[in-house]
């Protein structure tokens, strides 16, 4: 049995909207990840089963390793179909905002979503949700938005209408936001939910291979290069990897090629904090990705030094300056957080 994570009043409120709604739009964050697409398509499959006119719209492309997901071809990319997407957003009865806590995370879609007269519901697991939705289902203690979508559908009484395809999407989001159930994944209810998803015919081993074992040769070579340049800070139990735009062009870098790299230094014994700095080729900034194991709060470091935020063990931010400057800031951050980095726990 699952505990009732989502407040009953939010379920009741959403059910009222859901029963009346014909057109439902699902939106998620820029640079959609497995949980953004998994939760969106998980909900989309369910809404389709209830004969709603549902559409998923995300700001821009998602990585190739998610393109096998059932329904992924029906996801609208706002940067390609702005006009049509604007119309869908404007005419929606309900807009479901999935896997983001701040309206700027949907990038260019912000204006259209805010301007739409649709009723809006937030379903998310990031800290400190902004107040742009009437119903706010926000549970930072839950490791993925996909899990929240599963819980919502079940609490509405529709477990039996979750299809194999919908279950695959939900499983993918749960798996990717926990690094294949290797972090944020000690809640035993996760495994109860997985068991329920398996009952729908999900092949979890195949999903793992489809998501994680799909490297291109250039990605694997890039990984080898990045790791050969890695800097380890033994006094801080930390490691840094980086990628300049020059290096990206040497390795025929395509979007998503460095996805997950930030986790690799954590496989060194004793390292509790990893930072990945990647020069963006579209905007003059450095994308910062942070990961930790145990109690080290990446999100505090991200917000104090890199204009960002996120979860305790997985956060990110942005840096405006050169790669060398970003590395200096990281080293200042390490000094400031040294006591926490060296804390046992
Ligand atoms: P990633 O390293 O995979 O890009 O991001 C990991 C997590 O950090 C995301 O799920 C998100 O919660 C958070 N995050 C990433 N980039 C930013 C950012 O620029 N600002 C904020 N506030 N959070 C971010
Ligand atoms: Mn998520």
């Amino acid at each position: 049995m699952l505990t009732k994570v989502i407040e009953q009043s939010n379920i009741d409120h959403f059910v009222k909207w859901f029963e009346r709604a014909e057109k439902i739009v699902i939106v998620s964050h820029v640079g959609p990840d497995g949980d953004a697409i998994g939760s969106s398509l998980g909900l989309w499959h369910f809404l389709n089963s209830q004969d709603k006119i549902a559409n998923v719209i995300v700001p821009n492309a998602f990585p190739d390793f998610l393109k096998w997901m059932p329904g992924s071809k029906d996801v609208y990319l706002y940067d390609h179909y702005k006009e049509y997407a604007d119309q869908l957003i404007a005419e929606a009865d309900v807009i479901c905002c999935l896997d983001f806590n701040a309206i700027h995370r949907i990038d260019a879609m912000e204006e259209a979503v805010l301007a739409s007269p649709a009723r809006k519901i937030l379903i998310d697991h990031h800290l400190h949700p902004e107040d742009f939705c009437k119903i706010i289902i926000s549970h930072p203690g839950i490791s993925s938005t996909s899990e929240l979508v599963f819980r919502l559908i079940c609490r509405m009484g529709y477990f039996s209408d979750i299809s194999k395809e919908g279950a695959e999407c939900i499983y993918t989001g749960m798996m990717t936001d926990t690094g294949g159930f290797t972090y944020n994944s000690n809640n035993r209810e996760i495994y109860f939910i997985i068991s329920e998803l398996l009952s729908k015919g999900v092949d979890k081993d195949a999903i793992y291979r489809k998501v994680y074992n799909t490297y291109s040769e250039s990605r694997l070579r890039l990984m080898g290069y990045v790791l050969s340049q890695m800097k380890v800070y033994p006094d801080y139990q930390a490691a840094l990897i980086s990628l300049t735009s020059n290096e990206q062009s040497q390795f025929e870098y395509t979007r998503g090629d460095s996805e997950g790299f930030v986790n690799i230094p954590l496989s060194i014994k004793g390292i509790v904090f990893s930072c990945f700095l990647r020069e963006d080729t579209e905007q003059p900034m450095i994308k910062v990705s942070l990961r930790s194991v145990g109690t080290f709060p990446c999100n505090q470091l991200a917000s104090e030094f890199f204009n960002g935020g996120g979860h305790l063990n997985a956060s990110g931010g942005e840096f405006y300056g050169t790669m060398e400057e970003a590395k200096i800031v990281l080293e200042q951050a390490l000094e400031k957080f040294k006591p926490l980095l060296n804390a046992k726990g």
Side-chain angles (χ1 to χ4, degrees):
M1 268 294 284
L2 293 175
T3 48
K4 293 188 170 180
V5 168
I6 304 171
E7 296 88 344
Q8 190 60 44
S9 57
N10 279 337
I11 306 272
D12 295 342
H13 199 160
F14 182 63
V15 166
K16 274 194 197 130
W17 291 4
F18 168 77
E19 283 170 353
R20 282 189 228 132
E22 262 180 67
K23 300 176 184 172
I24 300 181
V25 162
I26 299 163
V27 300
S28 194
H29 59 79
V30 67
D33 58 7
D35 191 31
I37 299 297
S39 58
S40 296
L41 286 176
L43 184 59
W44 181 79
H45 282 287
F46 165 65
L47 295 173
N48 285 337
S49 77
Q50 305 303 306
D51 297 326
K52 304 292 179 187
I53 302 169
N55 284 286
V56 178
I57 310 170
V58 293
N60 58 355
F62 49 90
D64 282 348
F65 63 78
L66 298 174
K67 292 198 174 146
W68 61 271
M69 288 171 76
S72 67
K73 288 184 185 64
D74 293 304
V75 173
Y76 286 102
L77 307 182
Y78 193 76
D79 60 359
H80 280 64
Y81 298 97
K82 179 179 184 319
E83 221 165 285
Y84 185 58
D86 277 340
Q87 189 187 337
L88 291 173
I89 292 168
E91 291 175 357
D93 300 311
V94 171
I95 298 179
C96 303
C97 298
L98 265 53
D99 200 40
F100 63 96
N101 57 349
I103 192 75
H104 75 87
R105 298 275 293 145
I106 55 170
D107 224 44
M109 292 163 61
E110 171 175 348
E111 202 180 318
V113 168
L114 289 179
S116 171
R119 297 181 164 90
K120 288 159 207 154
I121 174 171
L122 180 79
I123 307 171
D124 179 48
H125 68 136
H126 296 90
L127 290 167
H128 314 305
E130 283 178 6
D131 194 15
F132 57 92
C133 289
K134 180 100 191 230
I135 303 178
I136 297 181
I137 296 179
S138 167
H139 295 276
I142 295 295
S143 57
S144 64
T145 299
S146 298
E147 177 179 335
L148 286 170
V149 164
F150 178 86
R151 288 174 178 275
L152 175 65
I153 295 170
C154 291
R155 289 282 298 287
M156 289 167 71
Y158 291 100
F159 171 75
S160 57
D161 287 347
I162 296 178
S163 62
K164 178 184 176 197
E165 289 74 22
E168 287 173 340
C169 296
I170 290 170
Y171 181 80
T172 303
M174 292 175 65
M175 181 186 79
T176 53
D177 255 22
T178 55
F181 307 103
T182 59
Y183 50 80
N184 286 338
S185 53
N186 280 329
N187 182 347
R188 56 199 284 259
E189 295 193 1
I190 290 173
Y191 304 94
F192 178 80
I193 294 172
I194 293 173
S195 167
E196 296 289 73
L197 295 172
L198 291 173
S199 78
K200 300 286 181 180
V202 167
D203 183 343
K204 64 179 269 304
D205 303 351
I207 290 180
Y208 185 95
R209 288 195 301 274
K210 282 192 259 193
V211 170
Y212 293 119
N213 296 353
T214 59
Y215 291 1
S216 63
E217 180 183 337
S218 58
R219 173 170 149 95
L220 209 63
R221 293 197 188 282
L222 178 70
M223 183 188 286
Y225 172 78
V226 164
L227 292 178
S228 72
Q229 306 292 310
M230 173 179 63
K231 185 159 181 189
V232 176
Y233 300 87
D235 294 346
Y236 302 85
Q237 311 203 58
L240 165 68
I241 53 177
S242 63
L243 198 55
T244 63
S245 49
N246 255 342
E247 291 166 332
Q248 289 170 43
S249 41
Q250 281 169 40
F251 285 89
E252 301 160 37
Y253 180 91
T254 55
R255 218 190 136 70
D257 267 0
S258 56
E259 179 84 23
F261 281 11
V262 64
N263 296 303
I264 305 172
L266 294 176
S267 57
I268 302 172
K269 188 173 179 184
I271 296 296
V272 299
F273 174 65
S274 167
C275 172
F276 178 38
L277 302 171
R278 183 179 56 80
E279 235 170 45
D280 200 290
T281 46
E282 283 157 28
Q283 304 169 62
M285 64 113 166
I286 290 174
K287 183 69 206 161
V288 182
S289 280
L290 307 174
R291 295 290 185 276
S292 69
V293 288
T295 55
F296 183 73
C298 289
N299 44 3
Q300 263 184 46
L301 193 150
S303 85
E304 276 185 48
F305 286 87
F306 293 112
N307 232 341
H311 313 276
L312 185 83
N313 295 130
S315 325
E318 295 171 351
F319 180 79
Y320 292 84
T322 65
M323 184 60 87
E324 287 319 305
E325 287 162 351
K327 289 181 179 175
I328 290 168
V329 169
L330 192 254
E331 287 170 9
Q332 288 165 350
L334 291 180
E335 193 53 43
K336 163 127 197 236
F337 281 85
K338 193 171 184 180
L340 286 179
L341 286 163
N342 288 325
K344 290 256 179 290

